[in-house]
Amino acid sequence: MILRYIELQALLMAPIAPHWAEYLWLEVLKKPETIHFARFPEVPQPSPELLAASSYVRNTSSGITSAEANFTKKLSKGKSSSFDPRKPKKITIFAAKKYPEWQEKYIDLVREAFDSLSLSINDKELNAKVGKLGEMKKAMPFVQGLKKRLVVSKETPDTVFARKLPFDEFAVLEEMRGGLKRTTGCKELEIIAVEEGGKTGEVLGTGEKREGLQAENAVPGNPTFAFANIAE
C-alpha cells in the first residue's frame, strides 16, 4: 500500500516536479523506464460500502475513547466514579440487530422529502412534519443520520430506506476487536448483539445469552458502550 501511494504521488507530481518524480520512479520504485512514458493512474470509483464502514470504525473508536476520557476527567477533578480507566478494565459494546419500530414513520417522512435527482432534502418541510409528531429530541438524531447517509455518504435510497447498513456491522466489530484492545488497553472486550428493546442479547463468538441489559439506545450503525473494572 505504501509503494502504491508513492507511485500515485509520483505520477500526479510528474508534470510539476519532474526531476523529483523521476527519482522516485527509477530509484525508489525501481521502474524499468522513465516516468514520462507512464500514464496517469486509473482508480476505481469510491465504494459507498467501504466508506460507510470506514466512517463507522472511526466513529465507534472515537466514541469509546471519548467516553473513557470523560471518566478520567471526572476522576482528575476529585469526583467519585464507578469506573477507573487507569485500572484493568472490560469494555462491552452493544450493537443492535435491527432498528426500533418507532422509526418507521420517520423513514417515510425522509423518503417523501428526499429528491433523488438533486440528492437534496427539503429541510424546512421535513422538520415541520417531524415537529408535529412531538418527538423532536428522540427523532432528530435519527433523521439527521438518514440525511447524512443519503446526501453526504451518497448511499443508495433503496439501501437507506430499507433500513439496512451497507456493511456487516458485526463482522466489522469483530475485525476491530484487536485494534480496540490495543488502543484502549482493556483486558477484555465483549460484543453483544442486542435484540429490540435493548434488554436481551447474545455475545458474539460464544453465543451466550444475556438478559437485563441497558442498551435501549443502541441502533444499527450506532452502538453503545459499558465500562467496568475487573481483577488483574
Side-chain angles (χ1 to χ4, degrees):
M1 184 179 293
I2 293 173
L3 291 176
R4 177 62 172 162
Y5 175 82
I6 295 173
E7 180 178 329
L8 293 177
Q9 288 294 305
L11 287 169
L12 293 172
M13 291 296 292
I16 304 169
H19 294 88
W20 175 82
E22 181 82 341
Y23 170 79
L24 288 179
W25 197 253
L26 298 176
E27 302 299 327
V28 177
L29 298 174
K30 305 298 182 183
K31 298 290 186 179
E33 60 181 5
T34 175
I35 194 173
H36 303 295
F37 292 152
R39 298 176 63 86
F40 258 34
E42 295 182 5
V43 296
Q45 290 295 318
S47 166
E49 294 79 11
L50 289 177
L51 289 172
S54 176
S55 178
Y56 175 85
V57 170
R58 288 195 303 272
N59 292 339
T60 302
S61 299
S62 176
I64 292 174
T65 54
S66 295
E68 279 199 303
N70 288 335
F71 281 109
T72 302
K73 185 177 180 180
K74 184 177 181 180
L75 291 171
S76 67
K77 292 183 177 180
K79 298 180 180 179
S80 61
S81 175
S82 59
F83 171 67
D84 187 344
R86 299 165 296 187
K87 297 180 179 179
K89 60 197 174 186
K90 172 184 177 181
I91 298 176
T92 303
I93 300 176
F94 302 105
K97 290 184 177 180
K98 61 181 183 179
Y99 291 97
E101 291 298 326
W102 66 265
Q103 295 177 349
E104 289 287 352
K105 53 182 175 290
Y106 297 103
I107 289 279
D108 293 335
L109 292 181
V110 175
R111 184 188 289 113
E112 293 171 2
F114 179 63
D115 186 333
S116 60
L117 294 178
S118 63
L119 296 180
S120 62
I121 289 179
N122 187 332
D123 286 320
K124 184 176 180 180
E125 179 181 323
L126 175 61
N127 292 344
K129 290 181 178 179
V130 173
K132 287 181 180 179
L133 295 177
E135 297 177 311
M136 287 290 285
K137 186 175 181 180
K138 179 171 71 171
M140 283 310 295
F142 172 66
V143 170
Q144 293 295 338
L146 293 177
K147 289 165 57 179
K148 182 178 180 180
R149 291 178 63 187
L150 289 165
V151 178
V152 179
S153 300
K154 293 182 173 52
E155 296 178 38
T156 63
D158 289 342
T159 299
V160 176
F161 295 136
R163 306 225 288 179
K164 293 181 180 178
L165 294 176
F167 58 92
D168 185 334
E169 181 175 9
F170 298 107
V172 171
L173 284 171
E174 282 288 9
E175 292 182 8
M176 293 175 63
R177 187 187 292 272
L180 285 174
K181 290 185 74 172
R182 288 191 298 271
T183 301
T184 62
C186 68
K187 299 293 184 182
E188 297 180 23
L189 178 68
E190 192 172 63
I191 303 169
I192 299 180
V194 180
E195 302 288 349
E196 184 173 358
K199 301 299 183 184
T200 61
E202 180 180 314
V203 180
L204 294 191
T206 67
E208 180 185 351
K209 303 295 183 181
R210 292 289 176 82
E211 297 182 357
L213 305 177
Q214 295 181 338
E216 59 275 7
N217 292 326
V219 294
N222 189 18
T224 58
F225 324 108
F227 304 89
N229 290 118
I230 58 176
E232 291 267 8

